Amino acid sequence: MHSAFDDIALSYDILEAENPILQWMRRRVHQAALAAFAGRRRLIEIGSGTGTDAVFFAQHGFEVLGLEPSSEMLLIAREKAAAADCAHRVSFVQAAAEELRHVAPVGLCDGLFSNFGALNCVAHLDKFAQHAARALKFGAPVLFVYMPPICPWEIGYHLLHGQVRKAFRRKKDDAGTLVSLARHAIRTYYFSPAQIISCFEPQFILERQFSLGLLAPPPYVSKRSARLLHKVIASEEKIAEQWPFRNFGDHLVFQFRRL
C-alpha cells in the first residue's frame, strides 16, 4: 500500500542535514531518551522513518523493533542500519502505530519511543496507550515527541505573513486536520497536553514533560544566524520544563512510565 511518506523518503535526511533546528531538536530528544531508557534493552519505536533514531539506539546497545508504514522509508532505514553495522540489533516492520498490538510481543519490551509527531497520526490515542501497555513490562518508560495545538511561533509567523488559515491549522477538531505532505494530505490530530495525559493515565504515570521549539523557531524558519540561534536555544532550555511553557511549542516531549 502506498504511503504519503513514500514521496518524501529520498529527501527526508537531506532536509535535516541542512537544517540546524532539526538537528538540535533530535539531539535534545536523544539526550532525554538515553536518560529515560538507561538500563533498558528492548525498545519499540513508532514511526521509524528513515531509521535515524533506531540506528542511534542500536549503536548505544539497544535492540529495536521499529514500526513504519512507508515502504520507501523502510528501504532507506534498512540500508542505514546495514551501513552502520547494527542491522542485527534492529528489526523493522511495515506497520502503522495502530497495528502495534499485532506485531509486538506481550509484556516483553523495556521501553517505547516515538519522534517528531508520528503519534499525531493516531486518532484514538487512548486505544494506542492500551496497546502500548500490553506490549511493555511494568515500570517501562515511554518517551514520545508530539505536536501540540498551540505553537506560538507558528501562529505569530503566519499571521505576520497574512496567512490566517496556516496560523491556526492546528485547531482542535475531533475529525482531525488535513495537512499537506508532498502530493497528499495527511489527517493529523492535535490533542492538548491534558488530553494526552488523560489517554495514558490509566496505565501510565507522567514523569517529565518539556517544550521543544518554544523560543526556537520551527524548522521551516531556519534561516537565522548560528550565534543568535545558539542564544535562543540556550534560553529555551532553561524554561522548557517550567509551567506554563512546557505546554506550548512546535513539539512537546512526554515521558511516561508503565504502571
Side-chain angles (χ1 to χ4, degrees):
M1 180 181 294
H2 181 83
S3 167
F5 291 92
D6 289 345
D7 296 336
I8 65 169
L10 291 176
S11 62
Y12 192 85
D13 288 343
I14 296 172
L15 292 174
E16 181 170 342
E18 298 173 348
N19 194 302
I21 297 174
L22 274 176
Q23 293 168 23
W24 162 70
M25 285 182 165
R26 197 179 293 273
R27 287 195 303 269
R28 181 108 161 98
V29 172
H30 283 174
Q31 182 183 43
L34 288 180
F37 299 131
R40 305 290 168 169
R41 180 184 173 191
R42 297 186 181 92
L43 301 182
I44 301 169
E45 182 187 13
I46 304 297
S48 292
T50 59
T52 299
D53 294 320
V55 168
F56 171 82
F57 288 124
Q59 290 175 328
H60 283 78
F62 295 94
E63 296 176 7
V64 184
L65 171 62
L67 279 66
E68 169 56 49
S70 166
S71 59
E72 295 299 319
M73 290 277 196
L74 285 177
L75 283 175
I76 297 172
R78 291 182 176 121
E79 290 174 357
K80 190 179 293 185
D85 196 26
C86 62
H88 59 291
R89 288 187 170 274
V90 183
S91 176
F92 291 113
V93 179
Q94 186 173 6
E98 292 88 344
E99 299 173 277
L100 174 62
R101 63 192 179 102
H102 300 302
V103 298
V106 178
L108 293 182
C109 292
D110 297 312
L112 184 143
F113 175 82
S114 186
N115 208 354
F116 291 155
L119 291 181
N120 283 87
C121 295
V122 177
H124 302 289
L125 206 55
D126 54 343
K127 291 184 179 179
F128 171 81
Q130 293 171 13
H131 300 326
R134 177 177 176 272
L136 293 172
K137 295 178 180 178
F138 292 105
V142 170
L143 188 140
F144 61 89
V145 183
Y146 195 88
M147 294 182 291
I150 301 176
C151 175
W153 237 107
E154 183 169 278
I155 293 171
Y157 177 82
H158 288 302
L159 285 179
L160 284 174
H161 289 78
Q163 301 168 321
V164 178
R165 292 186 65 181
K166 278 192 174 182
F168 298 101
R169 61 184 174 181
R170 300 191 189 193
K171 64 183 183 299
K172 174 69 174 66
D173 190 336
D174 291 339
T177 301
L178 289 175
V179 177
S180 297
L181 181 68
R183 298 173 298 166
H184 305 273
I186 303 295
R187 193 164 295 279
T188 309
Y189 304 86
Y190 299 101
F191 295 112
S192 70
Q195 289 173 314
I196 291 171
I197 294 169
S198 177
C199 286
F200 278 81
E201 267 189 342
Q203 296 90 15
F204 298 88
I205 185 170
L206 181 69
E207 292 192 326
R208 187 184 185 192
Q209 178 187 327
F210 63 89
S211 179
L212 190 65
L214 173 65
L215 301 182
Y220 54 82
V221 190
S222 62
K223 294 181 180 179
R224 296 290 183 271
S225 73
R227 185 174 180 180
L228 177 59
L229 183 60
H230 178 76
K231 290 183 177 180
V232 170
I233 286 172
S235 298
E236 173 172 322
E237 291 184 354
K238 291 179 180 178
I239 65 171
E241 292 194 53
Q242 299 176 18
W243 185 91
F245 306 116
R246 64 185 179 219
N247 291 319
F248 311 109
D250 188 36
H251 293 77
L252 302 182
V253 180
F254 292 89
Q255 181 180 325
F256 289 90
R257 186 168 299 277
R258 172 75 165 97
L259 294 176

